[in-house]
Amino acid sequence: MNLTLKIWRQKNAKEKGQMVDYKIGGIEPDMSFLEMLDVLNNELVEKGDDPVAFDHDCREGICGMCSLFINGEAHGPDRGITTCQLHMRKFKDGDTIYIEPFRAKAFPVIKDLVVDRSSFDRIQHAGGFISVNTSGNTQDANNIPIKKHDADRAFDAATCIGCGACVASCKNSSAMLFVSAKVSQFALLPQGRVEATERVLNMVEAMDQEGFGNCTNTGACEVECPKGISLENIARMNREYLAASVK
Ligand code: SF4
Ligand code: FES
């Protein structure tokens, strides 16, 4: 396949960026999107040009690092996958592909396609954990029976990989889907109830401080989420927050 790539290039957080055109050839349909960018970067390096900076780590849909906005969609045109799982067979010979970083005030660009998502880390630090005494007093997990329905819902919420596609897809740059997944994975389990009140209050406060927008129930986040995190988590977090606020 021969392609035209229009890629956001930005030297650093302070300088203005711009879209730059690249022609690329010899791309196989079975290559992943990131492998296609590797081919481009090899060519740029051979010419002595600066390679395109982009985030990646596991390249198998687990780590949540590969945060690209492709042809106007977070993680590109496929559903239920991350950018590293996107294959070039989704595109046609001769296509023009627009590649941009995830855009949000709370995700400032570091370089080219790499954004700073440490705001997510700070929200996690505010309450995305349970405090457990691990000094030999832990009980067997099977001592606490949990309804299958609740266990499944908690597990579904726990599959959020913190990629930020929900924020990038939202017209308000809201982080509600991410935060609600992190609240729900504990709220549904007895182990998570102990600190449930402080957790939801602290995580929502941290989310607001980071400059994420409000949720207006558009649902774009759910559509673009590679892990199928459901909007029902946002409804659950709102209930948790209301109950915690009146305590
Ligand atoms: S809710 Fe989905 S889109 Fe948002 S960070 Fe988690 S996995 Fe990514
Ligand atoms: S590189 Fe880890 S999810 Fe894509």
Side-chain angles (χ1 to χ4, degrees), residues 1 4 16 30 43 79 92 119 123 186 189 216-217:
M1 297 159 82
T4 301
K16 267 191 159 182
D30 290 338
E43 289 179 9
R79 287 286 165 270
K92 294 193 304 293
S119 47
I123 295 171
F186 296 121
L189 302 176
T216 48
N217 294 314

Side-chain angles (χ1 to χ4, degrees), residues 65-95:
M65 290 299 290
C66 53
S67 48
L68 298 184
F69 213 65
I70 302 162
N71 284 349
E73 285 187 85
H75 297 303
D78 220 343
R79 287 286 165 270
I81 59 158
T82 53
T83 298
C84 59
Q85 297 172 301
L86 177 65
H87 283 85
M88 295 313 295
R89 54 181 165 268
K90 277 281 159 188
F91 302 91
K92 294 193 304 293
D93 183 40
D95 271 359

Side-chain angles (χ1 to χ4, degrees), residues 120 123-124 156-170 173-185 203 207 212-238:
F120 268 16
I123 295 171
Q124 279 284 81
D156 286 347
T159 60
C160 165
I161 53 174
C163 65
C166 45
V167 175
S169 310
C170 175
S173 299
S174 168
M176 287 286 274
L177 197 65
F178 164 75
V179 181
S180 70
K182 299 304 173 192
V183 165
S184 289
Q185 69 186 13
M203 290 185 85
M207 173 180 79
F212 291 102
N214 291 325
C215 173
T216 48
N217 294 314
T218 310
C221 54
E222 185 185 57
V223 174
E224 299 291 351
C225 173
K227 298 297 166 185
I229 302 296
S230 161
L231 288 177
E232 76 178 34
N233 290 294
I234 295 182
R236 182 179 299 106
M237 184 170 82
N238 285 338

Side-chain angles (χ1 to χ4, degrees), residues 127-132 139 141-159 180-197 199 233 236 240:
F129 53 82
I130 55 167
S131 306
V132 179
Q139 55 178 312
N142 292 326
N143 282 349
I144 309 172
I146 296 167
K147 287 181 193 154
K148 172 100 171 62
H149 181 264
D150 289 345
D152 286 349
R153 288 277 191 285
F155 187 83
D156 286 347
T159 60
S180 70
K182 299 304 173 192
V183 165
S184 289
Q185 69 186 13
F186 296 121
L188 288 154
L189 302 176
Q191 294 93 330
R193 293 309 315 168
V194 182
E195 294 160 299
T197 302
R199 176 178 303 111
N233 290 294
R236 182 179 299 106
E240 289 280 318

Side-chain angles (χ1 to χ4, degrees), residues 34 56-66 82 84 161:
L34 297 189
H56 60 103
D57 189 3
C58 71
R59 295 200 176 203
E60 53 185 13
I62 298 170
C63 71
M65 290 299 290
C66 53
T82 53
C84 59
I161 53 174

